[in-house]
Amino acid sequence: MSREGAEYALRARADERDRISGDLLDLEAHTTYQLLKGASLRGPTQTRWAAAQSAIAALWALYDTYRGVLRAAEQVKGARGRLGAEQLATLTELLSGRSVVLKAAAKPVEERSLLPQADERLTLDETVARMDTAFQQATDVLTEIDTVWSAALPRLDAADAELRAVGDLRRQLGESLDLTQTETDLRRMRTAVLEDPLGSAPPEHELERVTRLLASTRADLERALQVSQEYGRRREELVAALDRVRAAESEARVAHGRVVVKIALPPQAQPRSKVDALADELDALDAAPGTWLDRAGRLTALEQGAQQAAQQARATATALMGLLGRRDELRGRLGACQAMAVRKGLAEDPGATELYERARLLLWSAPCDLTKAAQAVDLYQRAIHGGGR
């Protein structure tokens, strides 16, 4: 190695040493590394982390020896402006030869031999490569653990916060909601994540199940709390809603009475009242000693039932009155077809006349069978247009 080459190599190795030192310090400062140092681990995580710790210990031993060789090289270089031949040879040997000496490790007596154990010698490049392998082994484990923790722990923290919120709401409402199993599940999952993230982390579906359960329970309790605060007002609004149902059902009955004498209706067309059953449910809700959680669900169901009953009654009245409109529309079609028959010279045609009279009789009879009347008008219309019977 030339003098210039040796000096350049020494500077490059010094930069390399500083970079490796920074990487090692970053490794030890890593949050997951610090947490693992004092953690109680088990299972595959314990096995993997023990192997990683051995790799880190070997890495530091290699680094100390590597740094000692560079220190010796820097001492050879010293402050000399120009290296002598002897110093250059020594520096070359340190920088490019097998200058890193690893002492033979002490073995248990059952693994020993009476023959001398040879020390291992490495070049600086081989030492750096071996350090890198150990570094990658350690960081791979850290990355895997950190990935699991980063994914699971925030969600477990959120679930714990949700559990506390549910507990506060439960106490505020005086509910006897049993959260023991959920608390147990969360503790078990957290312990598994912390102690064995690589082997016992909870599956996604289990964490999702607990999260959904807590969110649903909290929503129910918040709804119950709101009902407890608004019950008086909402009850008055429900009473008014029942009055609207009565009015809509009365309108449907009136429409049925008007239509049934003019239009033939099946028995199921008779409007059925729901307001009495809803009113009875409201009375039962007032008298019930149940919890607010139960009362909230029943009150909401009553409000929805009242709204649907009013809508159904109004729709029934509209549909019934629409039957009169349908009859009048058929009467109009029949008149238009008769006028067309006159223009076509078919007014005296016996066949057409018979079809007309049949349709007219059906449409002007009470109660009118709309189905048969519509069929009769269609037959007459086809006859006028040349379709025959």
Side-chain angles (χ1 to χ4, degrees):
M1 185 180 292
S2 67
R3 290 182 176 83
E4 292 78 8
E7 291 176 354
Y8 175 81
L10 183 57
R11 289 194 300 271
R13 289 297 181 185
D15 292 340
E16 180 182 64
R17 176 191 57 202
D18 294 341
R19 177 179 51 77
I20 292 174
S21 176
D23 289 339
L24 293 179
L25 292 175
D26 288 343
L27 173 65
E28 292 205 331
H30 194 281
T31 302
T32 302
Y33 180 90
Q34 292 296 322
L35 291 173
L36 286 168
K37 282 175 65 176
S40 174
L41 303 176
R42 57 184 171 84
T45 304
Q46 183 182 37
T47 303
R48 293 281 304 281
W49 181 237
Q53 285 181 303
S54 296
I56 293 171
L59 170 56
W60 275 108
L62 283 166
Y63 178 70
D64 287 341
T65 307
Y66 162 88
R67 188 172 54 179
V69 171
L70 290 185
R71 190 182 305 113
E74 288 171 338
Q75 289 173 351
V76 171
K77 172 65 172 66
R80 295 179 178 84
R82 182 177 179 82
L83 292 169
E86 183 179 349
Q87 288 81 16
L88 178 60
T90 302
L91 188 58
T92 300
E93 175 60 25
L94 288 171
L95 294 176
S96 59
R98 295 189 174 278
S99 54
V100 178
V101 181
L102 301 180
K103 296 295 183 180
K107 296 181 179 180
V109 67
E110 65 273 14
E111 297 180 11
R112 294 178 191 172
S113 169
L114 295 179
L115 299 176
Q117 300 297 308
D119 295 335
E120 187 177 8
R121 289 182 170 273
L122 303 174
T123 65
L124 290 176
D125 284 337
E126 290 171 341
T127 303
V128 171
R130 188 172 294 188
M131 284 193 292
D132 183 62
T133 299
F135 185 81
Q136 292 300 327
Q137 181 181 351
T139 55
D140 285 348
V141 175
L142 284 178
T143 299
E144 291 181 42
I145 294 174
D146 186 64
T147 299
V148 176
W149 280 356
S150 297
L153 289 178
R155 297 184 63 188
L156 287 169
D157 290 341
D160 284 335
E162 193 84 337
L163 180 61
R164 289 192 296 273
V166 168
D168 291 341
L169 287 168
R170 178 189 61 180
R171 287 186 291 274
Q172 190 173 352
L173 286 166
E175 296 285 344
S176 58
L177 197 61
D178 186 4
L179 300 173
T180 304
Q181 186 59 52
T182 303
E183 293 172 350
T184 301
D185 288 344
L186 282 176
R187 280 198 302 270
R188 173 179 52 78
M189 285 190 280
R190 182 176 291 277
T191 299
V193 167
L194 290 175
E195 295 184 356
D196 189 16
L198 301 183
S200 303
E204 171 66 23
H205 68 84
E206 185 178 10
L207 188 52
E208 182 66 25
R209 175 186 61 80
V210 174
T211 300
R212 284 199 308 268
L213 175 63
L214 285 171
S216 174
T217 303
R218 180 175 182 175
D220 289 343
L221 289 170
E222 287 176 340
R223 189 162 47 248
L225 180 62
Q226 184 177 8
V227 167
S228 72
Q229 297 167 344
E230 301 175 349
Y231 185 73
R233 176 182 60 79
R234 288 176 66 174
R235 190 192 183 286
E236 290 178 1
E237 292 177 350
L238 185 54
V239 170
L242 293 180
D243 288 340
R244 290 193 291 272
V245 174
R246 290 188 184 91
E249 290 183 349
S250 176
E251 182 184 345
R253 287 193 296 272
V254 170
H256 182 269
R258 288 180 56 188
V259 172
V260 73
V261 297
K262 299 178 181 180
I263 305 295
L265 298 174
Q268 58 268 29
Q270 174 72 39
R272 290 175 171 78
S273 176
K274 294 183 178 180
V275 71
D276 291 339
L278 292 170
D280 290 344
E281 179 62 23
L282 178 58
D283 292 339
L285 182 60
D286 287 337
T291 65
W292 281 111
L293 192 59
D294 173 64
R295 186 175 289 183
R298 293 171 63 182
L299 178 63
T300 301
L302 262 176
E303 291 169 335
Q304 293 173 349
Q307 182 180 13
Q308 292 170 358
Q311 291 174 345
Q312 184 175 350
R314 286 192 287 267
T316 298
T318 301
L320 286 169
M321 296 306 294
L323 295 177
L324 294 178
R326 172 63 173 160
R327 184 200 62 180
D328 294 341
E329 185 266 334
L330 289 172
R331 285 179 175 180
R333 280 178 58 194
L334 182 63
C337 289
Q338 185 185 33
M340 183 175 290
V342 171
R343 290 196 298 271
K344 289 187 173 183
L346 297 175
E348 304 301 326
D349 180 77
T353 300
E354 179 184 353
L355 291 174
Y356 170 78
E357 288 298 330
R358 181 169 182 272
R360 188 187 68 80
L361 181 63
L362 285 168
L363 283 171
W364 269 267
S365 297
C368 170
D369 188 327
L370 280 179
T371 301
K372 291 182 178 179
Q375 293 172 348
V377 171
D378 286 341
L379 286 173
Y380 179 56
Q381 187 173 10
R382 286 200 295 272
I384 295 303
H385 287 283
R389 296 191 185 191

